[in-house]
């Protein structure tokens, strides 16, 4: 197997591992992006066979680092081992955590694309650019985080810096806003973040191409509960309808 084939094979394994990590732990986007960043930084130094154990150890570090004090205390290696259906023991996770920290020289801090997305959205909110739009600031942010989670699973976006990918995703979201000069705002943010124009242009085109054939992934239709919440409080008939739909989904 050539070096290119090995790198491509590792990319597919990494993609499967990140997909497993995203679905296994119901964590906050901040913890998930931090864990993926640790995973990629470690794989850039050392290649390991048990990627799932490595991913669990990276999530363990991320949960202890990014979550609040009370939530961080509730996370333990035994809980993570149980969430992983005991594919590896708690001691394996702790040992792998020490290996990761040692290889990274105990420098667990990392800048992820999520930081730049939050920075860009904060700039929009401060400038009151979202006035008159259909969705709120929080809804735009949730849509961007959802897009970022899909991009984080694809190994092709590893070649871009966190700032470049974050701003490219921000541009794809702003481009959909009517009567919004998204290009001027994007150029000002590009200058502030010191992102090369050619790199941003290539990443932006690749992000658009990536989601053009995956529009079904971005179907964020609100649930019945969310729809009723937006219209007002639920009455008894609506609550019964929600319970009936949940029972049907459970049986299916």
């Amino acid at each position: 197997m050539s070096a290119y084939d090995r790198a491509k094979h590792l990319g597919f394994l990494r993609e499967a591992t990140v997909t497993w990590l995203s679905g296994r732990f119901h964590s906050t986007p901040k913890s998930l992006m931090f864990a993926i960043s640790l995973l990629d930084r470690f794989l850039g130094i050392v290649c390991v066979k048990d990627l799932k154990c490595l991913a669990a150890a990276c999530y363990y570090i991320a949960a202890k680092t990014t979550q609040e004090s009370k939530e961080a205390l509730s996370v333990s290696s035994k809980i993570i081992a149980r969430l992983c259906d005991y594919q590896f023991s708690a001691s394996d996770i702790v040992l792998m955590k020490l290996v990761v920290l040692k290889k990274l020289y105990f420098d667990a801090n990392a800048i992820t694309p999520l930081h730049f997305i939050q920075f860009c959205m904060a700039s929009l909110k401060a400038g009151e650019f979202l006035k008159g739009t259909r969705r709120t600031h929080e809804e735009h942010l949730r849509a961007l985080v959802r897009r970022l989670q899909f991009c984080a699973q694809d190994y092709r976006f590893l070649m871009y810096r966190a700032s470049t990918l974050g701003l490219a995703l921000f541009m794809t979201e702003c481009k959909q806003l009517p009567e919004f000069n998204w290009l001027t705002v994007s150029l000002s943010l590009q200058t502030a973040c010191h992102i090369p124009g050619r790199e941003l242009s290539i990443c932006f085109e690749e992000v658009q191409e990536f989601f053009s054939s995956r529009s079904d992934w971005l179907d964020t239709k609100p649930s019945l509960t969310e729809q009723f919440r937006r219209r007002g409080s639920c009455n008894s008939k609506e609550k019964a309808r929600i319970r009936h739909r949940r029972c049907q989904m459970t049986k299916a």
Side-chain angles (χ1 to χ4, degrees), residues 24-170:
R24 179 65 59 172
F25 304 104
H26 300 287
S27 60
T28 61
K30 186 177 181 181
S31 298
L32 178 61
M33 291 298 108
F34 193 78
I36 295 174
S37 175
L38 290 173
L39 175 69
D40 293 332
R41 288 172 61 192
F42 184 83
L43 290 178
I45 302 173
V46 182
C47 292
V48 296
K49 294 182 179 179
D50 197 349
L51 290 181
K52 288 186 177 180
C53 184
L54 172 61
C58 291
Y59 173 76
Y60 186 28
I61 299 172
K64 289 289 188 181
T65 306
T66 60
Q67 294 184 8
E68 299 295 333
S69 56
K70 292 182 179 180
E71 296 177 352
L73 290 174
S74 63
V75 178
S76 65
S77 57
K78 293 182 179 179
I79 294 177
I80 295 179
R82 177 170 56 82
L83 291 174
C84 296
D85 298 329
Y86 296 103
Q87 300 181 40
F88 22 80
S89 64
S91 58
D92 293 334
I93 296 174
V94 173
L95 180 61
M96 183 63 75
K97 181 195 75 169
L98 295 175
V99 172
V100 171
L101 291 175
K102 184 177 180 181
K103 289 296 181 180
L104 298 180
Y105 298 100
F106 291 89
D107 182 16
N109 294 323
I111 301 297
T112 66
L114 181 60
H115 291 96
F116 288 92
I117 288 177
Q118 292 172 338
F119 168 73
C120 294
M121 291 303 299
S123 302
L124 279 188
K125 189 175 182 180
E128 298 184 352
F129 292 108
L130 295 177
K131 277 190 174 181
T133 58
R134 294 183 178 181
R135 292 195 291 180
T136 63
H137 172 269
E138 289 73 19
E139 289 174 335
H140 283 292
L141 183 59
R142 281 198 298 268
L144 280 171
V145 170
R146 182 174 174 82
R147 287 175 180 267
L148 175 59
Q149 289 176 348
F150 287 125
C151 289
Q153 296 175 11
D154 198 300
Y155 70 93
R156 291 175 295 178
F157 292 102
L158 289 175
M159 61 182 294
Y160 301 108
R161 291 180 290 184
S163 56
T164 305
L165 180 57
L167 184 54
L169 287 168
F170 172 78

